[in-house]
Amino acid sequence: MIVRLLLAAIAAGLIAGMAMTPAQYVKTIPLIMQAEAYENPEAGHSHDAAEAAGAHELAQEDSMLGFGRFWDTVLANLVAGAGFALMLAAVALLTGVEFPAGRDAITRGLLLGAGAWFCVQLAPSMSLPPAVPGFPYADLGDRQSWWLITVAASAVGLWCMVMRPEWFLKALGLAVIVAPHLWGSPVPEDLSSEVPAYIASAYAAASLATTLFFWLLLGGLLGYFLSRVPEEGAA
């Protein structure tokens, strides 16, 4: 039974990770390439120059059979998808979420994926949004520490608000979610950047949109696959 649970989670993660790659190539990677054109001192700083450089690089990398950004992205998405699926399955088991056969399993999986997206993506980005290359960054260690604390606090707070009936726990959950943002995220020392603000804002929005697609797909697939495990195990 444990093996079937693991295989169900890994299958959901690999499918969601593979589906994430074309979504990124449509929404986020072109913006990264535009930002890299501004980051390169030899590139022009006009909007047209950035678009031309980004399109040229995209065409080059798409023709690099087996090398470059595309296959690195595929591999990273597969590994991340499998890892996140295992974590999401563990959360479902620990919190007692059941996946009955039929549409209810997919619905519960979608809700679980939406909650994970809120904790992992949306909540941290409220104070520390995704940034493109060339945009000012705070210290990596400080950002990682703040992100981990925010994800953990958001998960605990969301569990209190959704899974517990007591009103004081719901209020406590909200306070826990807000606490890291009141404390404040790391701020870079130098805020200057050659990258236009519209590219940075478009990337942040596109990143949240693509990760929402990933987490919803992962949750739905996980709910469907896990709903079939007890039946197969009994057989």
Side-chain angles (χ1 to χ4, degrees):
M1 185 67 74
I2 295 298
V3 172
R4 292 179 184 274
L5 288 172
L6 293 176
L7 290 177
I10 292 175
L14 293 178
I15 295 173
M18 182 61 72
M20 183 67 167
T21 302
Q24 289 176 326
Y25 263 80
V26 171
K27 300 296 293 184
T28 59
I29 290 181
L31 294 170
I32 292 175
M33 292 177 175
Q34 291 185 37
E36 288 174 347
Y38 282 96
E39 186 181 23
N40 184 357
E42 297 180 358
H45 296 295
S46 68
H47 175 71
D48 293 338
E51 285 189 338
H56 177 66
E57 186 176 352
L58 180 60
Q60 285 184 327
E61 291 188 352
D62 282 344
S63 64
M64 298 172 66
L65 302 176
F67 302 95
R69 190 194 303 265
F70 176 78
W71 292 108
D72 288 343
T73 302
V74 171
L75 180 60
N77 286 338
L78 291 176
V79 173
F84 281 132
L86 291 172
M87 293 174 58
L88 203 59
V91 170
L93 293 175
L94 291 173
T95 55
V97 178
E98 297 180 354
F99 297 96
R103 294 184 178 180
D104 287 343
I106 298 177
T107 301
R108 294 186 183 187
L110 290 172
L111 292 175
L112 189 64
W117 175 76
F118 172 82
C119 297
V120 177
Q121 309 290 161
L122 182 60
S125 68
M126 292 178 182
S127 295
L128 194 64
V132 291
F135 220 67
Y137 293 94
D139 178 74
L140 177 60
D142 293 341
R143 286 186 286 129
Q144 289 177 332
S145 299
W146 187 89
W147 184 86
L148 288 172
I149 292 172
T150 304
V151 171
S154 301
V156 172
L158 189 63
W159 179 81
C160 291
M161 295 180 66
V162 175
M163 303 297 292
R164 302 299 302 177
E166 300 87 351
W167 66 268
F168 64 91
L169 284 180
K170 294 182 181 296
L172 178 62
L174 179 60
V176 171
I177 292 175
V178 173
H181 303 279
L182 294 179
W183 178 265
S185 62
V187 179
E189 296 181 359
D190 185 8
L191 297 177
S192 61
S193 174
E194 296 290 338
V195 181
Y198 75 88
I199 293 181
S201 61
Y203 175 77
S207 178
L208 290 175
T210 53
T211 53
L212 176 60
F213 164 75
F214 166 79
W215 282 108
L216 290 178
L217 179 60
L218 177 60
L221 289 171
L222 188 65
Y224 173 75
F225 289 145
L226 290 182
S227 70
R228 301 178 63 86
V229 168
E231 296 178 0
E232 295 176 358

